[in-house]
Amino acid sequence: MAFDRPTERDGGTVTDTGWFEPYKIKTVERIPITTRQQRATALDAAGWNTFLLRSEDVTIDLLTDSGTSAMSDRQWAALMVGDEAYAGSRNFYRLEETVRRYYGYRHMVPTHQGRGAEHIVSELLIAEGDVVPGNMYFTTTRLHQELAGGTFVDVIGDDAHDPANRDPFKGNVDLDKLEKVLAGEARVPYVSVAATVNMAGGQPISLENLHAVRELADRHGAKVILDATRAVENAFFIKEREPGQQDRSIEEILLETCSYSDGCTMSGKKDSLVNIGGWLCVNDDDLAAQAKNLCVVYEGLHTYGGLAGRDMEAMAVGIEESVDLDHIRARILQVRELGEQLQAAGVPIVEPIGGHAVFLDAKRIYPHIPQDAFPAQRLAAEIFLDSGTRTMERGNVSAGRDPATGANRHPALELVRLTIPRRVYTSRHLAAVARSVGDVAARAADTPGLEMVYEPEYLRFFQARFRPLAG
Ligand code: P71
């Protein structure tokens, strides 16, 4: 398939109807089709929190793209060559070699998933009182930085906080903001950069910006740690949008992306097409030795890191498949197609349409619901009631409370995420979702908010419970 799609450099969206999935389907799984009464009962039992629904009550599951992708025949075959030795599994060496080849770092430590790597790197590099600047928070990343004694400071460009702004690289770091933090009183052990930026809507960061972050960090003696979770998706956007990058391969762009950092954390459950797994990379030999040592404390021996040998083998194959241009192109264009259908139905979404998900702008859909009555949480519940489609709140509930004051954070973005698992749903599934969301948005005026009736201490969005306010 030729890479001949017009670019989005001017911020406009261009519909491409010529894409198709570069695979055929070998196994299928029946999905539940439910009545509105069944969905209402399930939602009540789940405390109006989509994380607490049973998947057997969900028709189309767009909660997350994390660990929900379909493995290929090659990956299923890889499971059969798992070497389940406690130490020195052959699959570890295969994974190490594959990560080195595609991501370019010297050392790789496997972890059970992304947050395992975040835990280790945060504990190794952050000391009490440190400040960690980054291009917007991610929930688990920031929590591990805080638990290690650090304070996260958002240095993403202002554009990223405006859902209607069409900057093609809305994930970029604001270099002035970063410079101020680096020049400040507090020690900055590293700059935490994500490619793409999940909470901003799956928005990419450019090579030019990454390079500038590297130079600035060097000048102030700070490291750069990349969150490479969706760096392959980011590489596609660079190829599509960044001047001079159109003729380079995804592999080349990925290697250059990683070359601007001292290490990375990775959730293999996204780009790398596996149901479980992750890793931590660093270039520094001493740091690698320390990371391996912490790995045995929290994850398991440094040649398995909480994974079975077969999991590491499937992840190595997944990495190879992830950089295939036909794969990543179809992945991004499928997400974009859903976004364009929602736009055509008049539903306000975050623009440009991101890599892994379409984000609905709940503030514009429910302008009458105050943020403390959780408009995005309510919207996710309404979409489930309408069609059994499961989505995720990414707003007030996800942002949690300020650890210093205990007050609710009021993020600029009050969003519902429709996240697309890789190689799982067809265009007709997504067209059905677009119709349902359009119907829910059309009834918006009658919908009141929610009140929170149970709030856990950490990452409250996972387990909080709600009750609908009277209409
Ligand atoms: C997503 C997830 C999974 C998730 C995590 C927390 C709340 C809800 C859902 C996980 C990421 C991610 C980025 C950029 C690190 C992790 C942690 N995303 N960085 O989007 O998106 O990885 O889940 O493997 O521990 O649904 P992990």
Side-chain angles (χ1 to χ4, degrees), residues 1-75:
M1 196 190 298
F3 188 85
D4 52 3
R5 189 163 188 280
T7 71
E8 248 198 332
R9 227 169 302 154
D10 306 325
T13 23
V14 190
T15 303
D16 182 323
T17 48
W19 75 274
F20 55 84
E21 294 84 354
Y23 52 82
K24 58 184 176 176
I25 296 164
K26 188 151 21 199
T27 304
V28 298
E29 177 184 339
R30 184 72 164 87
I31 57 176
I33 300 196
T34 56
T35 64
R36 189 175 172 99
Q37 187 51 53
Q38 284 172 315
R39 296 192 290 274
T41 307
L43 189 66
D44 264 330
W48 289 64
N49 183 347
T50 54
F51 278 104
L52 299 179
L53 289 165
R54 292 174 180 230
S55 88
E56 62 189 23
D57 294 320
V58 174
T59 301
I60 298 181
D61 204 344
L62 306 187
L63 183 71
T64 177
D65 64 331
S66 181
T68 54
S69 294
M71 291 209 294
S72 67
D73 51 356
R74 288 179 65 230
Q75 287 179 290

Side-chain angles (χ1 to χ4, degrees), residues 99-100 103-107 226 258-259 261-264 281-283:
V99 170
R100 250 189 218 138
Y103 290 81
Y105 301 100
R106 283 166 49 78
H107 304 284
L226 177 73
C258 297
S259 75
S261 62
D262 301 283
C264 78
C281 282
V282 288
N283 287 327

Side-chain angles (χ1 to χ4, degrees), residues 209-269:
N209 188 252
L210 271 166
H211 190 182
V213 167
R214 167 81 272 172
E215 287 186 344
L216 207 50
D218 279 346
R219 247 181 283 146
H220 292 269
K223 291 186 163 50
V224 176
I225 300 293
L226 177 73
D227 183 338
T229 295
R230 296 183 185 84
V232 177
E233 291 174 7
N234 198 80
F236 180 86
F237 286 119
I238 288 171
K239 183 173 171 67
E240 182 184 57
R241 298 175 187 177
E242 189 160 352
Q245 300 298 324
Q246 278 65 50
D247 296 326
R248 295 181 76 201
S249 68
I250 297 293
E251 285 99 318
E252 285 172 311
I253 295 172
L254 181 61
L255 277 173
E256 185 177 338
T257 302
C258 297
S259 75
Y260 297 125
S261 62
D262 301 283
C264 78
T265 54
M266 177 74 190
S267 170
K269 302 171 71 171

Side-chain angles (χ1 to χ4, degrees), residues 9 26 34 40 101 146 195 214 259 309 374 378 422 454:
R9 227 169 302 154
K26 188 151 21 199
T34 56
R101 172 159 167 225
E146 289 172 351
R214 167 81 272 172
S259 75
F374 311 114
R378 179 76 197 217
R422 297 161 189 78
Y454 167 67

Side-chain angles (χ1 to χ4, degrees), residues 283-296:
N283 287 327
D284 184 83
D285 295 343
D286 289 341
L287 203 57
Q290 292 171 42
K292 285 178 186 180
N293 196 221
L294 276 191
C295 183
V296 300

